[in-house]
Amino acid sequence: MPPVITVAVLLLPVLSLLLFGLDQVEDRWVTRPSKPRTARVRRRRRVRPERR
């Protein structure tokens, strides 16, 4: 393999991780989420039927 191809193949995983990291940074810091991430869904309490 010529050296240029070897360097290109070795750089592909590094560049993909870099792009993934930049995308995550953009999602967290640049575009602020409208709702908090840890929002909990409130459940309604189950009401037992009355016994007769």
Side-chain angles (χ1 to χ4, degrees), residues 40-51:
R40 294 181 180 166
V41 177
R42 296 182 91 186
R43 291 186 177 181
R44 293 176 60 184
R45 294 177 99 188
R46 284 183 122 178
V47 179
R48 291 184 180 176
E50 293 182 17
R51 293 188 178 179

Side-chain angles (χ1 to χ4, degrees), residues 18-29:
L18 178 68
L19 287 175
F20 177 75
L22 288 175
D23 186 45
Q24 294 297 313
V25 166
E26 180 187 11
D27 286 345
R28 288 187 183 173
W29 293 343

Side-chain angles (χ1 to χ4, degrees), residues 1-10:
M1 251 192 217
V4 176
I5 296 173
T6 306
V7 170
V9 168
L10 291 176

